[in-house]
Amino acid sequence: MNTTAFHNADILIPNESIDMSKWAVIACDQYTSEPEYWNAVESTVGGNPSALSLILPEIYLENEDVDEKISNIHKTMDKYINDSIFTEYNNAIVYVERIQSNGIVRKGLIGAVDLEEYDFSKGSTSQVRATEATVIERIPPRIKVRQGASLELPHIMILIDDPDNTVIESVDKSEMKKLYDTELMQNGGSITGYLVGEQEQERIDKSLSALAQPETFNKKYYLTDSPVLLYAMGDGNHSLATAKEFYEQLKKSNPDKDFSNHPARYALAEIVNLHSDALKFEAIYRLVYDVDCDKLITGLTEALALSHETAEQWVEIVCNGKSDKLYIHNASSNLSVGSLQNFLDGYIRENGGKIDYIHGIENVKSLAEKHNGIAFILPDMDKSQLFPTVIKDGALPRKTFSMGHADDKRFYIEARKISE
C-alpha cells in the first residue's frame, strides 16, 4: 500500500449523536465578500457542534479579533476531542459521492497526501504540484490557525488525469460501511461517505501506481523524460501550501527529530478525476474597488492595448452598470487572466485599492455595483489544458479557474489529528 503520494490515514468522523446537516460547512475561502452567507450559516448551526467552530472563514481574516477567533478554534478542537464526538477509523480511505446543486454526482476519495512529495514553487517537478501561483503572503495567517491546532479539516481537492476511470469510478461501494449521508446547507446538495475496505484500498493504490509509471506518463503527454505529475491541485491550493510550510518549519525547528511518521507530514485531501462530468472549469472573475475607476480603466487600456478589434485574449469590463468586451493586443501572459492579473497587481501596489476573486457573472456584477467598483469577466479555461500546461509551463496565474459553482465546493466533514 501507499506506492504514491496518496495514503490512507486515521480519519475522524462525527458520531451518530451529531446532526451532520449542521456539522458540514462549506470551504472557508468561499463567499469572501458576502457576510450574509456566513451569517446564515451561523444561524443554521446555532449552538450545535459544527465544523464552523473549527475553521476560520476567510471573510474574517482581517478582523481585529482574528487572534481571539483562532484561539477559540483551538479550544473547540480540544473540547470536541475530549467530548468524544468523533469515531476514529484507522488506516482509512473514505469514498464520497457528492450530489451537487445541479444534480450531478461527483465521486472522490479522501485520504492523506504526503507533503514530502509536494512542492508548490513554480517549475516544481514533484509528484504533487500547484496548478496556480501561490501567494506567499497568504500563508502566514493560515499557519496561525494550524499552529497549536489539534485537528485539520480539509477543503483540498486534488485532481488525477484518469481518462479510463481506473481509480475512483471503479470503486465498488456495495459492501462498504456507510459513514454518513446528509443534506448540505445553503443549496449545497447532499453527500454520502463510505469506508473503503483493505482489499479495495490495495486496488486503488495499484491503479494510481499504474498512472504514475514514467513510460505511461510520458506517452500520455507526448514527452520523453519528464518527471511524473500525478496529482494536480484543484481547490485549496493555499491550504495545502500552508500545511507544507508548517511541516517544513517544524523540521527546521527540530533538526534532530525524526519526522518520518509525524502527523504533520501529511494533509487530508480529496482526490477527484479530472474527467468527471461533475467537474466544470469556470473562470474566476475579478472585483476591484476602492480605486479611481476611470484612472484604472485608462491605464489598463493603454497597458494591454485594449480595443474592439478581435484578438485571442479578451476581458469584459463592467462599471457603473455598463459592460464592454475588449480584446487584448499587448498580452503579458499566455492567458487572458494572466495579462489582466499582471496589470492589476502592479496598479494596486502603486495606487492602492482592493481586489477580490468572485465566482459567477451575476455575483461579480452585483458586487461591483454594491462596492462602486469594477467587475472583470474572463473566458473559461478548458480543463483538458490543465495537466499539459502545468507540466510544460509550471503553475498558472493565481485564481485562474474554479471547479464549478461556489455552492458545490467541498464541505468540511472529515478531520484528522495533526499533533502528537
Side-chain angles (χ1 to χ4, degrees), residues 8 25 51 70 123 131 133 139 158 165 167 178 188 209 219 233 235 238-239 267 280 296 315 324-325 407 410 420:
N8 57 20
V25 174
I70 291 172
T131 53
I139 294 178
I158 298 177
N165 299 330
V167 181
K178 186 184 288 187
S209 182
K219 184 178 180 182
M233 288 303 302
D235 277 337
H238 284 88
S239 290
K280 307 294 182 188
L296 188 154
V315 59
D324 197 9
K325 183 177 180 179
D407 293 336
R410 264 199 59 83
E420 289 184 315

Side-chain angles (χ1 to χ4, degrees), residues 199-216:
Q199 207 169 3
E200 186 66 0
Q201 285 192 29
E202 290 176 3
R203 185 202 63 78
I204 289 166
D205 188 61
K206 285 179 182 176
S207 298
L208 288 169
S209 182
L211 290 177
Q213 292 301 312
E215 185 178 344
T216 303

Side-chain angles (χ1 to χ4, degrees), residues 120 122 130-135 237-238 395-400:
F120 58 77
K122 190 170 177 66
T131 53
E132 62 181 24
T134 302
V135 184
N237 182 56
H238 284 88
L396 304 167
R398 74 179 184 275
K399 299 289 185 180
T400 295

Side-chain angles (χ1 to χ4, degrees), residues 88-105:
E88 185 169 43
Y89 296 90
N90 300 117
N91 302 317
I93 290 176
V94 178
Y95 168 67
V96 296
E97 292 185 344
R98 167 77 177 276
I99 300 178
Q100 300 181 154
S101 57
N102 58 9
I104 300 175
V105 178

Side-chain angles (χ1 to χ4, degrees), residues 11-15 18-28 49-52 54-55 80 85-87 89 94-99 106 110 151-156 179-185 188-194 268 270 409-416:
I11 297 177
L12 301 172
I13 305 288
N15 62 36
I18 303 302
D19 183 343
M20 293 297 280
S21 68
K22 292 179 170 59
W23 173 267
V25 174
I26 205 164
C28 66
S50 175
L52 181 64
L54 307 181
I55 65 162
Y80 284 180
I85 74 160
F86 295 109
T87 300
Y89 296 90
V94 178
Y95 168 67
V96 296
E97 292 185 344
R98 167 77 177 276
I99 300 178
R106 185 179 76 225
I110 296 171
L151 298 174
E152 67 167 356
L153 290 86
H155 75 263
I156 298 161
L179 298 173
Y180 55 80
D181 186 0
T182 184
E183 296 293 317
L184 298 170
M185 67 177 75
S190 62
I191 191 166
T192 310
Y194 302 86
L268 212 55
E270 178 179 351
K409 297 300 179 181
R410 264 199 59 83
F411 274 61
Y412 301 107
I413 294 180
E414 295 80 5
R416 186 179 71 94

Side-chain angles (χ1 to χ4, degrees), residues 278-326:
L279 288 188
K280 307 294 182 188
F281 275 29
E282 298 176 353
I284 300 178
Y285 308 123
R286 272 60 179 158
L287 168 67
V288 179
Y289 56 102
D290 291 351
V291 295
D292 182 327
C293 294
D294 291 336
K295 180 181 176 182
L296 188 154
I297 292 171
T298 298
L300 179 67
T301 301
E302 292 175 358
L304 300 188
L306 298 179
S307 77
H308 292 104
E309 183 181 343
T310 58
E312 189 173 331
Q313 295 186 17
W314 59 265
V315 59
E316 183 181 345
I317 302 172
V318 183
C319 184
N320 294 323
K322 296 179 181 178
S323 175
D324 197 9
K325 183 177 180 179
L326 295 166

